Amino acid sequence: MTIRVNGTEVSPPDDARVSLLDLLREHLHLTGTKKGCDQGACGACTVLLDGNRVLSCLTLAAQAEGSDVRTIEGLAGEGDDLHMLQQAFVEYDGLQCGYCTPGQICSAIAMADELRRGDPSYVTRDIAASPPPVTRAEIRERMSGNLCRCGAHNGIVEAIEHMLRETAA
Amino acid sequence: MRTFEYIRAADRADAVARARRGARFLGGGTNIVDLLRQNVEQASELVDVSRLDGAIRQSDGGGLLIDASVRNAALAAHPLVRRRYPVLSRALLAGASAQIRNMATVGGNILQRTRCMYFYDVEGARCNKRQPGTGCDALDGFNRYHAILGASDQCVATHPSDMCVALAMLDALIHLSGPDGKRSIRLTDFHVLPNASPHIETVLKPGELITGVELPPPSDAVTHSEYRKVRDRSSYAFALISVAGGLALTDGRVTEARIALGGVAARPWRAARAEAALIGVAPTEEAFLAAIREELADAQPLSGNAFKIVLVERTVVALLAALAGAHQ
């Protein structure tokens, strides 16, 4: 079985210890996905696995066999166009150093799908109600798995709000 | 990290047979991958059970059957859980981050290991849980996160799961499959206190696999239940303490109370003494406080966590008062 990374079939590593993160960065040289803590505490390595956001540092590459992986490199269309959320991060100053940005963007794209699906969060007052309200408090809670040490959170939330507005229509 | 083989279980029998020969089960990997990388644990073979049946369905008796490989995120978002067992949804959503909840399985969540920093510090700390007989550096160390109930002089670690606190409150049954067949056990009997052997954390026998969790039909107190977690930052942090609570009232008196505590012991702590003290009383803050104080009568704080006693008291009172208020 192979792993499909941004539409390209790749072979899993021979060594079962290799994480999905190291497969992406060291074997495939897709260095957009970042290694922060390498122990599931920062979210910098977030990628989309069959459309769901996961931490690639705690995923063994072998676990992704037969699955579809999307990274920051696979979000934009052909040519020089950015994904809508990448563009919004530029416009709303959603970054300073940029190290957490690929993880933030992958995470937020999946978060938008979760909102559309009506999934609740810890701060959703009525947990049985669907869909939950889209408030800043909801966005901040749902994005809490992605740390930003520069403190660009306000811009990050504004960029995400922009994407949610643009795609709500 | 030492080398290991990765194998996807063909079915439950295959997983059990492999584990009987020494393989370790792999669910979402959010804990064991880190433990292997830090050399806290070692494995020669990981048998991936996360692709086995992953269904959520109603049981014949009107309860809920949850397969062990259901992901935490899927369980929290399931309409039946949100409507009938709101405390379970809230507890799941209080845990970790969205990414980790997408990965973590129900079985793995139950079997996750303590987050005691001395347990993880292979090079620098003594730990009876990691290496029996070496000592415990948490006893005189940084023990802000550690136990106040049921600990021993060998180990004061806590169980880190939020989900398990809700499951304890819900009288959940854990279904097991092993070399000697199937059996079921209450979640509150599944984890064991450290006593003299803190490296033994559950009643699992060699090769036994958690295959599912069964919730009884929701009682009145379960329908009116909530989960509150107190932590050092408001999201993506382990609990200092947490409370799963449910309350049923008739004619201004408590007819059923359910309370379970997290972050206080090596297992999710069902507060049976407090529950019993509340039956038949009027739902006042004074009554709630008196009840939880009975539960905490045996609490033994460490050098850095005496605040947990007051924190548990206040959180239980606040949660039960909110539930009582919602009944009005």
Side-chain angles (χ1 to χ4, degrees), chain A residues 16-17 38-41 46 53 55 57-59 62-63 65 107 118 122 124-125 127 129 141 144-146, chain B residues 1-4 6 8 27-28 30 34 37-38 51 77 82 90 94 97-100 102-103 229 231 235-236:
Chain A
R17 294 175 295 179
D38 207 25
Q39 53 182 1
T46 303
R53 45 179 168 166
L55 299 177
C57 75
L58 292 184
T59 304
Q63 286 173 285
E65 281 181 54
S107 187
Y122 183 67
T124 307
R125 194 174 291 270
I127 213 132
E141 164 60 23
S144 72
N146 293 84
Chain B
M1 183 164 35
R2 300 185 194 168
T3 56
F4 54 78
Y6 167 89
R8 286 188 186 172
T30 59
D34 195 32
R37 195 175 281 153
Q38 313 272 344
R51 315 251 166 174
R82 289 160 69 179
R90 188 80 70 190
S97 67
Q99 290 95 316
I100 291 171
N102 277 335
M103 304 165 70
K229 178 174 180 180
R231 39 192 158 170
S235 187
Y236 199 14

Side-chain angles (χ1 to χ4, degrees), chain B residues 23-108:
Chain B
R24 296 291 312 273
F25 297 125
L26 174 68
T30 59
N31 194 192
I32 197 171
V33 169
D34 195 32
L35 290 166
L36 292 170
R37 195 175 281 153
Q38 313 272 344
N39 203 29
V40 179
E41 292 201 44
Q42 296 81 33
S44 55
E45 178 180 325
L46 291 184
V47 54
D48 187 345
V49 293
S50 70
R51 315 251 166 174
L52 300 178
D53 292 341
I56 301 171
R57 58 196 180 281
Q58 293 203 61
S59 66
D60 293 339
L64 205 63
L65 283 166
I66 305 155
D67 284 335
S69 56
V70 169
R71 308 284 171 169
N72 284 195
L75 183 58
H78 195 279
L80 281 177
V81 178
R82 289 160 69 179
R83 210 163 50 239
R84 303 174 68 193
Y85 306 94
V87 66
L88 179 55
S89 273
R90 188 80 70 190
L92 283 158
L93 294 168
S97 67
Q99 290 95 316
I100 291 171
R101 294 191 294 271
N102 277 335
M103 304 165 70
T105 63
V106 168

Side-chain angles (χ1 to χ4, degrees), chain B residues 208-288:
Chain B
E208 266 188 322
L209 172 70
I210 297 177
T211 59
V213 172
E214 182 170 355
L215 305 181
S219 67
D220 219 18
V222 167
T223 312
H224 300 94
S225 62
E226 258 297 358
Y227 185 75
R228 267 193 208 188
K229 178 174 180 180
V230 185
R231 39 192 158 170
D232 279 332
R233 63 181 182 199
S234 62
S235 187
Y236 199 14
F238 289 100
L240 287 165
I241 65 102
S242 67
V243 179
L247 208 57
L249 303 174
T250 305
D251 300 331
R253 300 279 159 179
V254 176
T255 51
E256 186 192 6
R258 289 178 181 238
I259 304 166
L261 307 174
V264 298
R267 67 182 185 207
W269 193 271
R270 183 73 183 262
R273 267 197 247 173
E275 292 176 1
L278 284 172
I279 299 302
V281 307
T284 63
E285 294 194 2
E286 293 72 27
F288 299 147

Side-chain angles (χ1 to χ4, degrees), chain B residues 178-224:
Chain B
D180 301 325
K182 297 179 179 177
R183 64 181 177 128
S184 298
I185 183 165
R186 287 163 57 107
L187 178 95
T188 45
D189 297 325
F190 182 80
H191 300 97
V192 297
L193 294 174
N195 296 312
S197 49
H199 59 292
I200 298 170
E201 297 173 350
T202 73
V203 298
L204 274 184
K205 297 173 188 164
E208 266 188 322
L209 172 70
I210 297 177
T211 59
V213 172
E214 182 170 355
L215 305 181
S219 67
D220 219 18
V222 167
T223 312
H224 300 94

